[in-house]
C-alpha cells in the first residue's frame, strides 16, 4: 500500500517535472520563433508568469501611453480572464507586473524600436515613442501560448520565457494594399485586416479606393461617384462604399494600432467608375457604362478638359481632410488609353494639386515619366527602368515587385483563386529576396519600404483574402522589419511553422504550403 502510494507520488513528480521541462522548452522555442525576427535576442533564465494579480504600469508623460497599455490589457483579457489594470507608476519594479516606459533618448531605437526584458520577476519595456511600446506588446503576445489569441476563456499557465530583446525596424514603411474597388470589403473586414497586419508589425494600409469597377469613398462635391459608381463590382455584385464618417472611423481605428492609411484614387486610367458617373469627365461628353469585367487599360479621364482638374482638386481636397497621414496615392498605372503627351502634363498637374492640399504624392512607377516633385514617392511594381528614373529624379521608392509581393498571384498551378501574369509565388519566393539588391542602382537609402498589394479581381470575401495573404504577408512583414543579415529561408520556414497554431487561434484561413514543416 505504502509502496504504491510512494510510486504514485514519484510518478506524479516525474510527470510534473517533465511537463515543466517541456513547457520551458516550448517557451524557449517561442523566443527563437518570433516573426519578424528581432534585431537581437538573448535567452534568460526561467519564466515570467502572468497571473490574475498582474498589473500594467506606465511611466512617461504621453497621453497615448495609457491607450497602448490598455490595448495590451484588451489583447490578453479574453483568453486569460485577467483584469490587468493599467495605472501610472514612479519608482520600484514589483514582482509580477508589466512595466511600460517611454524614455526619449536612444537614437538607435528610433521611433518604432524597443528594449524588452522579461525576467522571472517582471516584464519591462522601454521605447522612445508609444509606437515602440506597441511593437514590444506584439512581441510579448507572440511569446505567450498561441491560445492567448482565442476570444474565449482558456486555461493557463500563462508563462513567458525570460529573455532580453533589442529590436527596431529596417524600414520605416511596412505595408499592405487592399483593393476594395474590384470587390468591395466592408468596415469590419478592413478592421480585421488592420488587426492582422499590425500584429506582424506592419504600419501602412494602402486602400485602392477607385478603379474601373467601383468608386468606394464618399466625395460630397461629386455624390454620383458613390451613388452610381459605387453600386457594383467585378461580376456585377452590389458593391458598396465608405461614407466619410465610416472612413474616419477606419482611419482612427488604424491609428490606434499605429497603422497609417494611404488612400489611392487611381488616375487618369482605371477610372471607368467615375466616367460612368459623370458624363463631363469624358472627352465625348457621354457617360460610359458600369464595368463588371477584369480587363485593365481601357479607360481615361479627359486630360484636356478643365473640369477634369476641378474634379481632381475637389476629390483630393476632401481626401486630404480625411487623411492625417502625409501621403495621397494618385495611381497613374497602366494608362494605356491616355496618350503619352497627355499623361505627362496630367501627372505634373495632379502632383501640384496634391501638394497644394499639403500632402505628398505616391504613384505607381509610371509616374517617373513625369517630373517628380520633391517629396513624391514612386512605387515599383514592374518597371525597373521607371523606378531607376524616379531615383535619378530624387524620389524614394516603395518596393512592391509583382513577382514577389503580389498577394493575388497564385501560389502554384493548382491554386484556384488569383492570377499568374507576373509569377506563381510560393511562400519561399515571397520571402527569399532583398529589397536593396533587387533592382540595379536602387539601394537601401533610396527605399522608403516594402508593400504587398492584394488585388481583388478574383477575391470576394474575407476567407479568400486570408488564404491569399497568409502566410505570404508574414514573410513580407519580416523583410520590412528584420535586417537581411538575420534572414534566410531554411531558418525562416522553421519559425513560420510555429505560427500555424497562432494563425489557427486567430481564425486565419491560411494556405498550408507543403514547403513549410507546419507544427501543431
Ligand atoms: C496590375 S499593379 C495592376 C492592377 C491589377 C493587377 C492584377 C498595378 C499598378 N496595376 O490594376 O489589379 O495587375 O494583378
Amino acid at each position: 500500500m505504502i509502496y504504491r502510494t510512494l510510486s504514485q507520488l514519484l510518478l506524479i513528480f516525474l510527470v510534473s517535472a517533465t511537463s515543466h521541462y517541456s513547457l520551458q522548452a516550448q517557451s524557449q522555442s517561442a523566443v527563437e520563433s518570433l516573426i519578424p525576427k528581432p534585431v537581437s535576442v538573448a535567452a534568460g533564465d526561467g519564466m515570467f508568469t502572468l497571473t490574475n494579480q498582474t498589473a500594467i504600469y506606465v511611466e512617461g508623460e504621453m497621453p497615448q501611453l495609457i491607450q497602448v497599455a490598455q490595448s495590451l490589457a484588451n489583447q490578453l483579457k479574453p483568453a486569460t480572464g485577467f483584469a490587468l489594470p493599467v495605472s501610472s507608476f514612479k519608482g520600484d519594479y514589483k514582482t509580477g507586473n508589466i512595466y511600460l516606459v517611454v524614455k526619449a533618448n536612444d537614437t538607435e531605437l528610433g521611433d518604432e524600436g524597443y528594449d524588452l526584458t522579461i525576467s522571472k520577476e517582471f516584464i519591462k519595456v522601454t521605447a522612445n515613442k508609444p509606437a515602440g511600446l506597441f511593437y514590444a506588446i506584439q512581441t510579448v503576445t507572440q511569446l505567450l501560448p498561441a491560445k492567448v489569441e482565442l476570444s474565449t476563456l482558456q486555461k493557463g499557465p500563462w508563462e513567458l520565457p525570460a529573455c532580453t530583446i533589442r529590436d527596431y525596424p529596417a524600414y520605416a514603411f511596412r505595408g499592405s494594399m487592399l483593393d476594395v474597388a474590384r470587390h468591395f470589403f466592408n468596415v469590419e473586414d478592413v478592421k480585421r485586416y488592420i488587426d492582422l497586419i499590425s500584429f506582424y508589425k506592419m504600419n501602412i494600409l494602402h486602400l485602392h479606393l477607385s478603379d474601373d469597377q467601383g468608386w468606394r469613398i464618399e466625395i460630397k462635391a461629386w455624390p454620383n461617384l458613390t451613388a452610381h459608381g459605387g453600386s457594383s463590382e467585378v461580376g456585377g455584385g452590389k458593391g458598396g462604399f465608405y461614407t466619410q464618417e465610416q472612413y474616419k472611423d477606419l482611419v482612427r481605428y488604424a491609428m490606434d494600432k499605429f497603422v497609417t492609411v494611404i488612400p489611392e484614387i487611381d488616375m487618369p486610367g482605371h477610372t471607368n467608375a467615375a466616367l460612368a458617373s459623370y458624363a463631363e469627365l469624358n472627352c465625348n461628353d457621354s457617360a460610359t457604362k458600369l464595368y463588371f469585367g477584369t480587363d485593365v487599360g481601357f479607360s481615361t479621364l479627359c486630360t484636356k478638359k478643365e473640369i477634369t482638374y476641378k474634379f481632381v482638386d475637389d476629390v483630393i481636397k476632401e481626401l486630404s481632410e480625411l487623411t492625417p497621414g502625409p501621403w495621397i496615392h494618385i495611381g497613374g498605372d497602366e494608362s494605356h488609353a491616355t496618350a503619352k503627351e497627355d499623361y505627362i502634363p496630367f501627372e505634373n498637374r495632379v502632383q501640384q494639386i496634391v501638394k497644394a492640399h499639403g500632402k505628398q504624392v505616391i504613384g505607381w512607377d509610371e509616374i517617373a515619366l513625369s517630373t517628380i516633385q520633391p517629396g513624391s514617392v514612386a512605387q515599383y511594381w514592374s518597371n525597373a527602368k521607371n523606378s531607376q528614373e524616379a531615383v535619378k529624379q530624387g524620389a524614394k521608392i516603395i518596393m512592391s515587385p509583382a513577382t514577389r509581393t503580389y498577394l493575388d498571384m497564385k501560389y502554384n498551378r493548382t491554386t484556384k483563386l488569383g492570377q499568374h501574369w507576373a509569377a506563381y509565388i510560393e511562400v519561399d519566393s515571397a520571402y527569399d529576396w532583398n529589397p536593396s539588391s533587387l533592382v540595379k542602382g536602387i539601394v537601401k537609402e533610396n527605399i522608403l519600404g516594402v508593400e504587398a498589394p492584394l488585388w481583388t479581381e478574383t477575391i470576394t470575401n474575407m476567407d479568400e483574402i486570408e488564404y491569399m495573404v497568409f502566410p505570404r504577408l508574414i514573410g513580407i512583414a519580416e523583410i520590412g522589419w528584420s535586417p537581411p543579415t538575420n534572414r534566410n529561408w531554411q531558418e525562416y520556414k522553421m519559425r513560420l511553422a510555429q505560427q500555424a497554431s497562432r494563425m489557427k487561434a486567430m481564425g486565419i484561413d491560411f494556405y498550408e504550403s507543403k514547403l513549410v514543416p507546419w507544427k501543431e
Side-chain angles (χ1 to χ4, degrees):
M1 191 65 191
I2 288 180
Y3 176 76
R4 231 179 90 187
T5 320
L6 270 177
S7 69
Q8 270 173 346
L9 274 176
L10 187 68
L11 190 70
I12 290 168
F13 170 78
L14 278 176
V15 166
S16 74
T18 37
S19 81
H20 185 79
Y21 173 77
S22 78
L23 254 181
Q24 180 144 359
Q26 215 173 33
S27 55
Q28 275 313 333
S29 91
V31 188
E32 283 146 25
S33 305
L34 286 167
I35 303 182
K37 190 173 189 169
V39 172
S40 86
V41 179
D45 184 26
M47 296 195 270
F48 174 85
T49 308
L50 202 71
T51 71
N52 62 2
Q53 297 302 304
T54 302
I56 304 172
Y57 290 100
V58 299
E59 183 183 32
E61 298 307 316
M62 290 151 155
Q64 242 183 331
L65 212 52
I66 298 276
Q67 177 243 315
V68 173
Q70 197 54 56
S71 79
L72 172 60
N74 296 345
Q75 226 163 313
L76 304 184
K77 245 180 235 172
T80 64
F82 302 153
L84 302 164
V86 173
S87 48
S88 303
F89 91 112
K90 254 204 171 311
D92 296 344
Y93 298 109
K94 296 209 178 72
T95 297
N97 296 323
I98 301 174
Y99 294 90
L100 306 178
V101 180
V102 167
K103 264 206 303 240
N105 58 7
D106 191 327
T107 47
E108 191 183 45
L109 290 184
D111 288 349
E112 297 182 302
Y114 62 90
D115 275 321
L116 166 65
T117 307
I118 301 177
S119 67
K120 282 184 231 166
E121 288 77 31
F122 51 78
I123 297 180
K124 184 187 170 191
V125 181
T126 44
N128 294 327
K129 298 264 172 75
L133 298 183
F134 179 81
Y135 295 123
I137 285 169
Q138 307 320 306
T139 300
V140 165
T141 308
Q142 232 182 76
L143 291 173
L144 281 160
K147 63 187 175 197
V148 77
E149 313 296 344
L150 293 167
S151 54
T152 53
L153 193 63
Q154 304 297 310
K155 246 183 95 197
W158 299 102
E159 294 181 316
L160 297 100
C163 59
T164 310
I165 293 178
R166 184 172 175 79
D167 200 13
Y168 47 86
Y171 292 100
F173 186 114
R174 307 173 303 279
S176 183
M177 187 208 80
L178 186 60
D179 170 8
V180 296
R182 269 54 176 273
H183 281 96
F184 180 67
F185 299 95
N186 65 26
V187 170
E188 285 318 303
D189 287 343
V190 180
K191 284 185 177 174
R192 174 159 169 84
Y193 202 74
I194 292 167
D195 293 345
L196 298 180
I197 69 172
S198 64
F199 182 71
Y200 292 101
K201 301 188 174 79
M202 280 191 166
N203 62 0
I204 297 288
L205 175 66
H206 166 186
L207 286 177
H208 185 73
L209 289 169
S210 69
D211 213 301
D212 292 318
Q213 300 86 345
W215 186 285
R216 308 301 181 199
I217 177 75
E218 176 189 21
I219 299 295
K220 303 215 185 219
W222 297 73
N224 211 34
L225 288 172
T226 44
H228 185 63
S231 67
S232 66
E233 59 186 12
V234 167
K238 74 175 174 32
F241 65 92
Y242 312 116
T243 64
Q244 293 202 354
E245 283 313 307
Q246 286 175 323
Y247 189 82
K248 279 187 214 160
D249 175 50
L250 263 183
V251 168
R252 257 193 313 266
Y253 184 88
M255 218 189 240
D256 283 349
K257 304 208 163 205
F258 297 88
V259 169
T260 300
V261 177
I262 299 177
E264 176 186 355
I265 297 298
D266 201 348
M267 51 195 167
H270 289 281
T271 44
N272 185 69
L275 297 167
S277 306
Y278 287 98
E280 59 267 46
L281 298 175
N282 295 270
C283 282
N284 66 0
D285 286 317
S286 128
T288 59
K289 288 208 179 75
L290 290 173
Y291 181 68
F292 316 124
T294 60
D295 287 349
V296 297
F298 61 89
S299 58
T300 182
L301 294 171
C302 190
T303 58
K304 292 194 176 77
K305 278 184 170 178
E306 210 37 46
I307 186 73
T308 296
Y309 299 94
K310 166 89 172 98
F311 166 78
V312 172
D313 190 70
D314 288 343
V315 169
I316 299 295
K317 174 173 185 287
E318 292 190 31
L319 214 51
S320 299
E321 286 164 1
L322 295 169
T323 303
W327 298 290
I328 301 281
H329 201 305
I330 60 170
D333 58 313
E334 299 174 317
S335 268
H336 309 316
T338 322
K340 196 172 171 187
E341 63 268 27
D342 296 334
Y343 177 85
I344 292 169
F346 176 84
E347 290 299 337
N348 286 338
R349 205 161 154 191
V350 172
Q351 288 188 74
Q352 295 299 341
I353 293 172
V354 172
K355 194 172 155 196
H357 291 293
K359 298 295 178 188
Q360 281 165 262
V361 163
I362 303 177
W364 297 107
D365 58 45
E366 288 95 323
I367 68 155
L369 300 171
S370 69
T371 309
I372 295 195
Q373 290 299 310
S376 290
V377 174
Q379 184 162 10
Y380 168 65
W381 65 284
S382 77
N383 192 315
K385 238 204 195 140
N386 285 344
S387 309
Q388 288 155 336
E389 173 57 27
V391 166
K392 248 184 242 150
Q393 293 197 51
K396 290 253 181 188
I397 304 292
I398 298 165
M399 296 302 275
S400 300
T403 53
R404 301 286 190 165
T405 67
Y406 269 30
L407 301 172
D408 65 320
M409 290 301 123
K410 292 175 184 288
Y411 291 98
N412 58 48
R413 256 177 300 127
T414 68
T415 311
K416 293 205 177 65
L417 300 166
Q419 312 205 47
H420 63 94
W421 64 262
Y424 291 113
I425 307 181
E426 248 300 350
V427 182
D428 58 346
S429 172
Y431 178 78
D432 207 2
W433 63 283
N434 183 352
S436 62
S437 57
L438 191 73
V439 181
K440 200 165 163 257
I442 302 183
V443 296
K444 180 131 198 281
E445 296 69 58
N446 310 124
I447 299 173
L448 186 58
V450 189
E451 184 187 291
L454 179 67
W455 301 99
T456 61
E457 285 95 333
T458 67
I459 315 293
T460 65
N461 60 45
M462 198 66 205
D463 283 350
E464 293 175 355
I465 289 181
E466 288 170 8
Y467 184 81
M468 295 308 277
V469 169
F470 287 92
R472 289 183 291 199
L473 176 120
I474 301 179
I476 307 289
E478 174 152 308
I479 292 174
W481 184 282
S482 310
T485 44
N486 275 3
R487 302 199 288 105
N488 78 75
W489 163 252
Q490 292 305 335
E491 185 269 346
Y492 170 75
K493 76 177 182 193
M494 305 310 286
R495 282 185 289 126
L496 182 59
Q498 303 271 358
Q499 295 287 320
S501 51
R502 201 161 295 273
M503 285 191 277
K504 283 186 178 156
M506 289 168 139
I508 298 176
D509 204 1
F510 65 99
Y511 162 64
E512 296 190 36
S513 169
K514 290 199 179 67
L515 303 180
V516 181
W518 300 107
K519 294 227 172 58
E520 273 314 306

